[in-house]
Amino acid sequence: DAGVIQSPRHEVTEMGQEVTLRCKPISGHNSLFWYRQTMMRGLELLIYFNNNVPIDDSGMPEDRFSAKMPNASFSTLKIQPSEPRDSAVYFCASSLAVRVGETQYFGPGTRLLVL
Amino acid sequence: GNSVTQMEGPVTLSEEAFLTINCTYTATGYPSLFWYVQYPGEGLQLLLKATKADDKGSNKGFEATYRKETTSFHLEKGSVQVSDSAVYFCALQPTGGGNKLTFGTGTQLKVEL
């Protein structure tokens, strides 16, 4: 079975540009999570969806970040405008349900560098 | 609030040595506890989990026991291999909080021949 798919795997952009990260969750999974990983702050949950509806976006850093899930098989995380401090690895994860003990399955990540 | 504290790394061991990575947590109620592993350049993978007190999770020779009395979930392996070199993350999932995960800062393990 295909796991969580993320694209692009690497992105280099200049400050001020729009960046769009994409995620395809595992088929049949109802929950989707976006995380950011940096050396300074570790792994941070940015937002998560259940049945395509955003449930908790309290981790989204500021208005420059937005996330959508138009259907069960696709989600985007957009940064506009991007800044050098947004440089990080962004992970998408999915799980079968919003349920205690449920495992999250992570994608390979998108490594973003903003110059 | 919920939090996870892990021992700082890097931890450097010789092959076949015994491994312990400490993890303690703060949470109300009875959270589920997880260990995830991240190999270089990859995403996180579930290593093992435990959903109630005194449960032992195990996988690939790794074990961790959910200790409610000490709020701990220490990771152990009797004999590490070079291929175990990775970053290990302890995480908790609170009761009644959907399945949001709170992660520790990660512990890098380096195993040398």
Side-chain angles (χ1 to χ4, degrees):
Chain A
D1 287 340
V4 175
I5 299 172
Q6 291 186 247
S7 64
R9 293 293 308 276
H10 303 273
E11 177 80 29
V12 181
T13 191
E14 293 187 345
M15 183 174 65
Q17 296 298 305
E18 178 180 293
V19 175
T20 299
L21 311 182
R22 297 173 177 80
C23 175
K24 177 178 169 56
I26 293 172
S27 177
H29 281 194
N30 295 322
S31 298
L32 183 140
F33 305 79
W34 282 102
Y35 291 89
R36 179 172 65 178
Q37 185 179 39
T38 61
M39 289 294 292
M40 292 297 294
R41 300 172 69 94
L43 266 166
E44 304 172 277
L45 176 65
L46 300 177
I47 185 171
Y48 83 95
F49 296 83
N50 190 46
N51 292 325
N52 313 337
V53 176
I55 303 300
D56 185 344
D57 65 355
S58 59
M60 295 286 264
E62 49 199 91
D63 291 346
R64 297 184 298 105
F65 284 69
S66 63
K68 294 182 179 180
M69 192 164 185
N71 58 62
S73 58
F74 184 65
S75 177
T76 59
L77 178 67
K78 186 175 294 187
I79 308 172
Q80 166 64 16
S82 57
E83 296 183 3
R85 61 192 168 120
D86 302 330
S87 298
V89 182
Y90 291 82
F91 289 104
C92 176
S94 69
S95 69
L96 194 56
V98 177
R99 183 165 57 210
V100 172
E102 200 65 51
T103 299
Q104 292 184 21
Y105 296 85
F106 283 73
T110 295
R111 188 173 297 272
L112 173 65
L113 177 62
V114 183
L115 302 173
Chain B
N2 300 315
S3 66
V4 176
T5 302
Q6 287 181 239
M7 60 189 289
E8 290 197 13
V11 173
T12 303
L13 296 173
S14 298
E15 201 169 41
E16 298 184 1
F18 185 86
L19 168 71
T20 300
I21 300 178
N22 290 337
C23 171
T24 57
Y25 68 89
T26 301
T28 56
Y30 294 86
S32 295
L33 300 172
F34 300 77
W35 277 101
Y36 279 81
V37 58
Q38 184 179 28
Y39 298 101
E42 298 183 10
L44 281 71
Q45 303 173 26
L46 177 69
L47 182 58
L48 53 84
K49 67 180 180 182
T51 57
K52 59 183 187 292
D54 300 325
D55 269 2
K56 177 186 283 188
S58 61
N59 186 24
K60 299 180 181 179
F62 291 89
E63 293 182 341
T65 301
Y66 187 156
R67 301 286 188 200
K68 180 67 175 173
E69 64 276 12
T70 54
T71 62
S72 65
F73 194 54
H74 304 321
L75 183 67
E76 296 182 335
K77 186 176 185 183
S79 175
V80 294
Q81 305 299 312
V82 172
S83 57
D84 293 327
S85 298
V87 180
Y88 293 81
F89 292 90
C90 185
L92 73 82
Q93 190 181 77
T95 52
N99 59 344
K100 288 174 59 173
L101 286 171
T102 298
F103 284 92
T105 53
T107 302
Q108 184 176 13
L109 170 66
K110 298 180 181 178
V111 181
E112 301 172 335
L113 291 172

